[in-house]
Amino acid sequence: MPLSRPIVTAPQPAAPAANVQLIADLKRIVGAAHVLTKPSSTRRFRRGFRFGEGPALAVVRPGSLIEQWRVLNACVAAGKIVLMQAANTGITGGSTPDGDTYDREIVIISTLRMDRIHVIKGGAQVVCLPGATLFKLEKTLAPLGRNPHSVIGSSCIGSSVFGGVCNNSGGALIHRGPAFTQMTLYAQVTAEGQVELINHLGIRIAGDPEAILARVEKGDFALADIEDDPHRFCSDHGYQDHVRDIDSPTPARFNADPKRLFESAGSAGKVMILAVRLDTFPKEDRTQVFYIGTNDPAELTEIRRHILANFKNLPIEGEYIHRDAFDIAEKYGKDTFLAIEILGTDRLPLMFALKGRFDALCAQIGLPADLSDRIMQFGSTFFPRHLPKRMYDYRKRYEHHLMLRMADDGIAEAEAYLARILPSANGAYFTCTKTEGEKAFLHRFAAAGAAIRYRAIHHREVEDIVALDLALPRNELNWMETLPEAITKGILHKLYYGHFFCHVFHQDYVVKKGFKPDDIEHAMWKLLDARGAEYPAEHNVGHLYIAKPALVDHYHSLDPTNSFNPGVGHTSKLANWK
């Protein structure tokens, strides 16, 4: 594979004049309109979707891969930190600054203007550019009868393809495991301060870096240029067998799993990714959702273990939600649900961008920064109840809810099995209509942002949210936690939801005013360690979690000068990892 190494001037100490020159250089590269420096203009890029905020010298929005390459070179030459950002929908602060304790200034490079997707090998694979979203990928593949790695959940709020790869995000789809590829085009900074372009796409393109980038951006390569390397893969081919091993004492997937850390995969922004090559998957002919309710967690345990061990056809998805999370999502995720249902996912990225601009304006003129949340929450009260009647009925009757989506031959398998075991003394199920199934899964994914809205509306009673993203061992039978009173006394609400068959759970704890969220979170970590859990499972460490040794080693190998996204995983924020 071609490897290009242009020499870059060694970083020099920043000075105001040097900053002026850098800003001028950046404007010359991408155009003045795409270099933002005012705090009010950069706020929506500097502030995380759920957590994290800090200052930045500038936000730069390149419109081509060549512009992105030139911006990186200019920033490295000026001795700046480079923070790569796509959709900024992460919840652990990993794509925004973290306070102001860095030894260099930060330049955020936002990639959303570069969203091309090239379909290759008849649709069996794609090459995605930095701004491509999961939703756009889904739309691109739909006419071909193919699906991307993830088709619901994150795609509903505009998450990027690169974000999934960088974070080893798992998604909801049981067949496919974490987003993963070993075929990437990326740039990194060497220990000598040089910027390298590394082409591991498996596509033969000769020339200097800018020639390579221009051809990749245009899709200017023939089928004969595309190579299949037997030692490199564009998805996690072994995950189905892995998740079926229900007696294993280790989790199915988690961010620090060394088996899934490879160059850009799990990189958490420690390199600049310019293109990724990914597998696609055949679209199912028929699907059916089954809605299961029970008051006995052991009943869901048995269903999970039996299906994983005995079904010929794995479910597409198996999503869990607890009654308390159901209630919070029903009220505080209602506007998200309605926006997706009425407007569709096409318009959601624009809606989030407008919300960010409105919040920034409010903060600038002294209005509450969460005013948009309050307005949207108030507006949602004028709409009627939005969930199907049978879901409300199950909410009254059952504490635990499982949505099971099967496809093709798996539908009959599930029908026969569920009819044999349910109803029982503790549970029951119903076969969803198409509308019921769509609304059930949409409600489950609206739960992910509901705690944030609750915090905004009840800020006088809420100190903050502790959001845990964890993977339990595959052989864990008692997945429903029991917390000691020393922890629960500081919690208003415990919200449980997750990807049940992978044993990956999202647990949001709404902390009472006057209690310290950090103390509660650290106490939770000790309990999870005792249970053999791994955390985070799929949202990456960001600036919330402590990176484990495998991740730290991965970061060091990719970014020896600590030029990209320093401080992630509570690592050093200083140059050269001091």
Side-chain angles (χ1 to χ4, degrees):
M1 304 293 178
L3 183 66
S4 303
R5 302 188 179 189
I7 301 298
V8 175
T9 305
Q12 299 295 321
N19 286 348
V20 171
Q21 183 60 54
L22 175 62
I23 297 300
D25 291 341
L26 296 175
K27 288 181 177 178
R28 187 172 60 254
I29 294 169
V30 304
H34 299 297
V35 179
L36 311 177
T37 56
K38 293 181 180 179
S40 58
S41 300
T42 61
R43 182 180 183 272
R44 63 191 178 97
F45 300 92
R46 296 184 292 103
R47 188 176 191 183
F49 174 71
R50 194 171 193 173
F51 171 84
E53 184 174 9
L57 176 65
V59 174
V60 187
R61 304 177 63 243
S64 71
L65 295 185
I66 290 177
E67 288 182 1
Q68 185 174 341
W69 169 257
R70 291 174 179 175
V71 167
L72 172 62
N73 278 271
C75 291
V76 171
K80 304 305 181 187
I81 289 169
V82 173
L83 203 161
M84 299 305 303
Q85 184 182 99
N88 192 18
T89 57
I91 67 171
T92 60
S95 58
T96 56
D98 176 48
D100 59 0
T101 55
Y102 299 88
D103 63 341
R104 298 148 290 164
E105 291 165 304
I106 295 172
V107 174
I108 298 172
I109 301 178
S110 174
T111 64
L112 288 181
R113 293 178 64 208
M114 301 168 290
D115 63 350
R116 289 188 182 182
I117 297 170
H118 302 304
V119 176
I120 62 174
K121 302 178 68 174
Q125 291 184 334
V126 290
V127 173
C128 296
L129 300 194
T133 63
L134 292 172
F135 173 70
K136 180 170 183 176
L137 179 55
E138 186 178 345
K139 282 191 69 176
T140 299
L141 293 173
L144 305 175
R146 308 287 294 184
N147 276 331
H149 170 267
S150 181
V151 297
I152 194 168
S154 295
S155 58
C156 291
I157 56 173
S159 288
S160 69
V161 173
F162 279 27
V165 173
C166 284
N167 296 324
N168 274 342
S169 297
L173 301 177
I174 300 167
H175 295 77
R176 302 172 196 173
F180 180 75
T181 185
Q182 294 173 314
M183 292 190 162
T184 315
L185 176 69
Y186 64 96
Q188 66 181 150
V189 180
T190 70
E192 295 75 31
Q194 299 176 340
V195 178
E196 292 185 343
L197 181 67
I198 299 175
N199 181 7
H200 286 167
L201 275 178
I203 300 175
R204 291 189 301 272
I205 302 177
D208 63 24
E210 293 197 359
I212 293 170
L213 294 172
R215 288 188 59 188
V216 169
E217 180 151 16
K218 294 176 183 176
D220 182 16
F221 41 81
L223 182 62
D225 297 323
I226 300 172
E227 300 175 321
D228 288 319
D229 187 332
H231 304 295
R232 287 180 180 259
F233 302 96
C234 296
S235 63
D236 188 346
H237 288 198
Y239 188 73
Q240 289 195 35
D241 293 333
H242 186 71
V243 75
R244 282 183 182 273
D245 188 1
I246 58 174
D247 294 317
S248 172
T250 62
R253 55 180 171 89
F254 56 98
N255 288 137
D257 187 348
K259 294 190 294 293
R260 298 185 179 94
L261 300 177
F262 189 91
E263 295 179 353
S264 66
S267 62
K270 299 300 287 182
V271 293
M272 174 183 277
I273 310 178
L274 294 150
V276 297
R277 179 174 162 185
L278 298 168
D279 288 333
T280 70
F281 305 87
K283 188 180 286 288
E284 302 83 8
D285 292 328
R286 297 179 300 124
T287 63
Q288 177 63 59
V289 175
F290 301 93
Y291 198 99
I292 302 164
T294 183
N295 290 314
D296 182 6
E299 199 157 40
L300 295 188
T301 300
E302 177 56 32
I303 290 172
R304 171 185 173 270
R305 290 178 64 83
H306 178 87
I307 288 177
L308 288 178
N310 298 297
F311 271 32
K312 180 180 179 181
N313 302 280
L314 280 177
I316 302 172
E317 300 167 271
E319 292 295 301
Y320 168 80
I321 187 169
H322 185 269
R323 176 191 282 156
D324 292 344
F326 184 110
D327 291 345
I328 294 292
E330 195 271 340
K331 183 173 183 179
Y332 297 97
K334 184 177 181 180
D335 62 297
T336 299
F337 182 105
L338 293 173
I340 296 171
E341 185 178 50
I342 296 170
L343 300 177
T345 50
D346 295 68
R347 298 180 184 177
L348 278 188
L350 175 61
M351 189 177 76
F352 273 90
L354 292 174
K355 180 183 183 300
R357 292 190 182 101
F358 181 81
D359 290 344
L361 177 62
C362 289
Q364 187 178 2
I365 63 178
L367 294 174
D370 57 6
L371 182 59
S372 63
D373 288 284
R374 301 184 196 183
I375 293 172
M376 290 188 290
Q377 186 61 37
F378 178 71
S380 70
T381 62
F382 291 96
F383 288 83
R385 299 181 89 184
H386 57 288
L387 298 178
K389 182 179 182 299
R390 288 200 286 185
M391 284 180 64
Y392 284 118
D393 177 56
Y394 267 49
R395 180 260 163 230
K396 292 178 183 177
R397 293 166 58 189
Y398 302 116
E399 182 179 1
H400 306 281
H401 299 239
L402 177 65
M403 289 142 273
L404 183 67
R405 190 192 302 273
M406 302 297 299
D408 302 329
D409 293 343
I411 297 172
E413 261 189 306
E415 284 176 333
Y417 172 62
L418 293 176
R420 188 169 74 248
I421 65 168
L422 295 173
S424 66
N426 295 297
Y429 83 99
F430 65 87
T431 303
C432 294
T433 65
K434 184 176 186 294
T435 298
E436 285 175 329
E438 291 172 351
K439 290 193 172 188
F441 275 91
L442 183 50
H443 178 62
R444 152 64 187 88
F445 287 105
I452 305 171
R453 174 62 55 76
Y454 186 95
R455 177 181 63 187
I457 302 302
H458 299 277
H459 57 92
R460 291 185 179 87
E461 298 89 38
V462 176
E463 188 69 33
D464 208 343
I465 299 167
V466 170
L468 295 179
D469 160 34
L470 57 101
L472 295 177
R474 282 165 283 174
N475 66 352
E476 176 64 72
L477 302 180
N478 301 312
W479 50 272
M480 191 66 194
E481 72 177 6
T482 302
L483 296 176
E485 197 274 334
I487 293 179
T488 58
K489 67 181 182 182
I491 296 176
L492 278 171
H493 298 287
K494 302 188 294 288
L495 310 178
Y496 301 110
Y497 51 97
H499 315 304
F500 191 66
F501 285 80
C502 300
H503 254 194
V504 168
F505 294 91
H506 304 291
Q507 301 182 176
D508 296 341
Y509 306 91
V510 181
V511 180
K512 295 177 183 177
K513 205 75 171 177
F515 287 83
K516 295 181 178 179
D518 284 351
D519 291 347
I520 291 175
E521 183 168 21
H522 296 162
M524 296 279 193
W525 289 354
K526 292 180 180 178
L527 296 176
L528 292 174
D529 289 341
R531 298 175 69 190
E534 290 282 354
Y535 52 91
E538 61 179 8
H539 289 151
N540 220 316
V541 290
H543 293 287
L544 284 179
Y545 296 93
I546 297 171
K548 293 188 175 180
L551 271 178
V552 175
D553 290 345
H554 191 47
Y555 299 159
H556 273 268
S557 67
L558 293 174
D559 185 19
T561 63
N562 208 17
S563 297
F564 293 98
N565 202 12
V568 67
H570 291 257
T571 58
S572 172
K573 292 182 176 179
L574 307 181
N576 301 307
W577 301 92
K578 295 177 183 175

